[in-house]
Amino acid sequence: MYEDKTLVCKDCGSEFVFTAGEQEFYAEKGFVNEPQRCKSCRDARKNANRAEREIFTATCASCGGEAKVPFKPRDDRPVYCSECFAKMREQ
């Protein structure tokens, strides 16, 4: 019923394929417009408003090595590096 279509991205001008499966999905969801951007431009547009995560450095409570975490460490709670945290989860 559906056939692959080659469309042109309105942002970068490159060609991309709007597959038959994607067309069927659009029809099931009731979407009437074809996509106007390629996947990489859609992803870039989605991530444009996303705030960068602040990364904090702490000392691992188990091995004493450096641990980088996406939250501000507190003195009353231990922080573990990735390796030590994975070992603790296994136990």
Side-chain angles (χ1 to χ4, degrees):
M1 180 172 182
Y2 297 103
E3 291 183 17
D4 290 357
K5 290 183 184 179
T6 301
L7 304 175
V8 177
C9 178
K10 79 177 205 176
D11 285 350
C12 68
S14 66
E15 293 185 344
F16 65 98
V17 177
F18 185 35
T19 65
E22 290 170 332
Q23 292 174 50
E24 187 174 346
F25 174 79
Y26 271 52
E28 287 174 7
K29 296 293 182 184
F31 300 147
V32 292
N33 299 322
E34 295 177 341
Q36 297 182 349
R37 293 176 179 86
C38 64
K39 174 138 177 61
S40 60
C41 288
R42 284 195 316 265
D43 291 344
R45 190 175 160 103
K46 279 185 209 173
N47 293 329
N49 295 333
R50 187 178 280 177
E52 287 291 319
R53 275 186 139 175
E54 187 175 355
I55 301 294
F56 297 90
T57 304
T59 303
C60 177
S62 182
C63 71
E66 185 179 89
K68 294 187 182 227
V69 292
F71 57 87
K72 188 171 184 176
R74 299 186 335 207
D75 292 333
D76 62 331
R77 303 211 46 195
V79 176
Y80 300 99
C81 67
S82 300
E83 293 172 9
C84 293
F85 186 75
K87 287 178 189 173
M88 289 177 60
R89 291 193 90 182
E90 289 175 359
Q91 296 175 352

